[in-house]
Amino acid sequence: MLVMAIAWNVEDGMDGLVVEMLDKGPGEVPRPPGIPPDEFGELQEIIGAVVRMYHPVEQSVPWRLNPYPSSKHTLMDHINNRDYEAARDLLLACGCPPLA
């Protein structure tokens, strides 16, 4: 189990984790080893907001095409950088109600 925690690559694993959360729902995906519980909770909240805002048509999710030229980064950039505050700010700019 310790080997898995060390081997889990955040950059490679985060994309797959987000896809799985979008597919199954953020509450249905177990926390992978190597991500602290509080950070995983933040990610679940952000992806939950994305699902509520864009499901089932997810073509305009801010990580696919950033509609705000003032921001150089997409939602997935912020998630990969583990900058959840910036991810929340981008969702807010896209019309998402403030997350708790």
Side-chain angles (χ1 to χ4, degrees), residues 12-45:
D12 296 335
M14 198 62 83
D15 288 336
L17 182 59
V18 167
V19 168
E20 188 176 3
M21 285 182 167
L22 288 171
D23 184 43
K24 295 179 180 177
E28 300 301 315
V29 177
R31 179 179 60 86
I35 294 184
D38 58 330
E39 185 176 334
F40 186 68
E42 284 195 61
L43 182 60
Q44 284 179 308
E45 188 175 11

Side-chain angles (χ1 to χ4, degrees), residues 27-79:
E28 300 301 315
V29 177
R31 179 179 60 86
I35 294 184
D38 58 330
E39 185 176 334
F40 186 68
E42 284 195 61
L43 182 60
Q44 284 179 308
E45 188 175 11
I46 288 167
I47 299 305
V50 168
V51 169
R52 288 188 301 277
M53 286 176 67
Y54 296 102
H55 188 71
V57 179
E58 296 171 349
Q59 296 303 313
S60 61
V61 175
W63 59 65
R64 297 227 174 129
L65 174 64
N66 190 347
Y68 300 96
S70 62
S71 175
K72 296 180 237 173
H73 302 285
T74 65
L75 183 61
M76 201 61 213
D77 290 337
H78 295 312
I79 290 171

